[in-house]
Amino acid sequence: MILPVTLAILSVAAQEPQLKSIRIFDGGTAEQYMRFVAGTGTIKQAICVYPERMFSGMGPCRVFRYTDGTAKLDPPLASYLKIKGTKYCGFFQPSLLPRPYCHPDGQPRGKEATDDTITYLQEKMTDVKAPGIEGSFRLGNGLSALGYHVKVHPFFDDMWVHIMVTGNWQPNLLDAIAECVGGTIVTEKGPPDTYRIEPNLEEIRARALATLEDYTPSPNSDAFNERETLGYNLIKTASPDLLKRWLDAAKGRDRMSVTDRTWAKGISKYRDMILGELLKQGKAPAGYTMDDFKAMNVFLDLGGYLNFGVTLQAPNGFLIHL
């Protein structure tokens, strides 16, 4: 009785897929990681778009390939990424914003190149070349290589995407690009048709909050920690109109009074904490007491990348930036 059971077990084991090969990603940038994952066979869609300049480093991973054609990623796909799109035009959608958007330490330290880098562009089929496009594209440059008239909201200007398409591409590629960065496509009928990439306000809000949650405030300054909390709460509670105004501030700083606004209390708390620290350190603007500072008009400066500033105005018009 034991022998038949053993044979049955061996028969089932023989039918199970066997490990065929292992590929390893040694670690690298987020872009290198996404490109590796796209080629592992673990994704049903053909990945045509993925975001760039997310993180400078990603840990190693590997993919197991089996004799039945299946593949398994170990560890699984990074939690901040989703795979969306159609079978022939898939894309990675991050739940976070790229640097320097909402990244406390994400501002570039030097001048960075802003030109698109196109490594392959073939618009028509020939006897020796198939249509296709691949390259790194800064959205603020307008995506002209795609052959469409595209206007991009200034909030997205410094976001980068990698595009890689084999074969003819259609306008649905623009939908993938827009959704990848947290936007939507608005079509203005022509001729020629013009496409606008506009922010999806709630998607941008969700990504901004997740980005801030992903960073740990500095323990060296209570005022700095309070500033981080203030920024988080401003984004979380901003009305759609205010959030749209903030994103529009990518065109230039938008200064607004905080008198009688719901978040004035939080701004006042940060003002008192940072000025208290500066007074103790002897670094506060000379000639003013804490009472003087508290009596000054307070402004919130909306800036690009969802950054903000707090500004005081002295009676003589002198501005103090906190």
Side-chain angles (χ1 to χ4, degrees):
M1 295 297 293
I2 296 178
L3 182 60
V5 173
T6 303
L7 291 176
I9 293 174
L10 292 174
S11 176
V12 171
Q15 295 175 10
E16 291 180 351
Q18 303 298 305
L19 182 63
K20 182 179 180 182
S21 65
I22 301 175
R23 284 185 61 199
I24 297 176
F25 175 69
D26 294 324
T29 65
E31 296 92 292
Q32 291 169 333
Y33 169 79
M34 285 183 276
R35 190 178 187 90
F36 172 82
V37 173
T40 59
T42 59
I43 300 173
K44 295 181 180 180
Q45 296 101 314
I47 298 296
C48 295
V49 182
Y50 60 79
E52 293 191 326
R53 309 196 180 194
M54 295 295 297
F55 300 110
S56 58
M58 289 290 294
C61 69
R62 54 189 177 173
V63 59
F64 299 101
R65 288 178 169 170
Y66 297 92
T67 52
D68 64 351
T70 60
K72 178 182 177 182
L73 196 64
D74 177 44
L77 185 68
S79 59
Y80 72 89
L81 288 174
K82 291 181 180 179
I83 300 167
K84 302 188 71 175
T86 64
K87 179 179 180 181
Y88 300 106
C89 191
F91 60 93
F92 284 115
Q93 184 191 66
S95 60
L96 307 174
L97 292 174
R99 58 180 177 88
Y101 294 79
C102 269
H103 284 239
D105 300 318
Q107 297 293 340
R109 297 183 179 180
K111 187 174 182 180
E112 296 186 332
T114 58
D115 293 336
D116 298 341
T117 301
I118 302 174
T119 55
Y120 183 81
L121 176 60
Q122 182 64 33
E123 297 176 334
K124 296 181 179 180
M125 175 73 77
T126 71
D127 292 338
V128 295
K129 290 185 178 181
I133 186 170
E134 179 165 5
S136 296
F137 297 85
R138 176 179 174 270
L139 293 188
N141 293 338
L143 300 169
S144 59
L146 297 181
Y148 305 114
H149 290 75
V150 184
K151 297 178 181 179
V152 179
H153 188 281
F155 178 74
F156 297 119
D157 275 359
D158 291 322
M159 288 191 185
W160 291 75
V161 294
H162 194 94
I163 301 172
M164 47 184 181
V165 178
T166 300
N168 294 312
W169 59 90
Q170 302 297 326
N172 66 343
L173 178 61
L174 297 177
D175 290 304
I177 293 170
E179 196 169 350
C180 173
V181 299
T184 58
I185 286 290
V186 178
T187 304
E188 299 174 346
K189 294 298 182 181
D193 288 350
T194 298
Y195 303 91
R196 299 199 328 265
I197 299 180
E198 294 290 337
N200 178 330
L201 295 181
E202 293 310 314
E203 177 65 22
I204 295 297
R205 189 198 306 272
R207 294 191 192 192
L209 295 176
T211 302
L212 292 173
E213 290 168 356
D214 201 53
Y215 285 82
T216 303
S218 169
N220 299 322
S221 168
D222 290 338
F224 181 82
N225 292 345
E226 186 62 32
R227 181 185 177 87
E228 292 294 292
T229 300
L230 174 60
Y232 183 91
N233 289 335
L234 285 172
I235 294 172
K236 183 177 182 179
T237 61
S239 67
D241 288 341
L242 177 58
L243 186 57
K244 177 62 165 60
R245 182 174 173 177
W246 201 342
L247 301 187
D248 288 345
K251 305 171 187 176
R253 183 180 60 193
D254 183 353
R255 177 165 291 161
M256 55 192 301
S257 173
V258 301
T259 305
D260 298 328
R261 294 186 181 271
T262 56
W263 22 261
K265 184 176 180 180
I267 292 176
S268 296
K269 182 178 179 181
Y270 165 68
R271 174 201 63 193
D272 295 346
M273 292 181 69
I274 186 64
L275 286 170
E277 290 185 4
L278 293 175
L279 285 168
K280 288 181 180 179
Q281 298 167 8
K283 297 180 180 180
Y288 300 103
T289 66
M290 180 61 84
D291 288 338
D292 293 331
F293 290 129
K294 290 184 177 181
M296 295 178 184
N297 292 328
V298 186
F299 299 92
L300 178 67
D301 294 335
L302 304 177
Y305 310 123
L306 278 175
N307 289 327
F308 73 96
V310 175
T311 298
L312 307 182
Q313 185 178 43
N316 62 0
F318 180 69
L319 297 178
I320 301 171
H321 304 289
L322 304 177

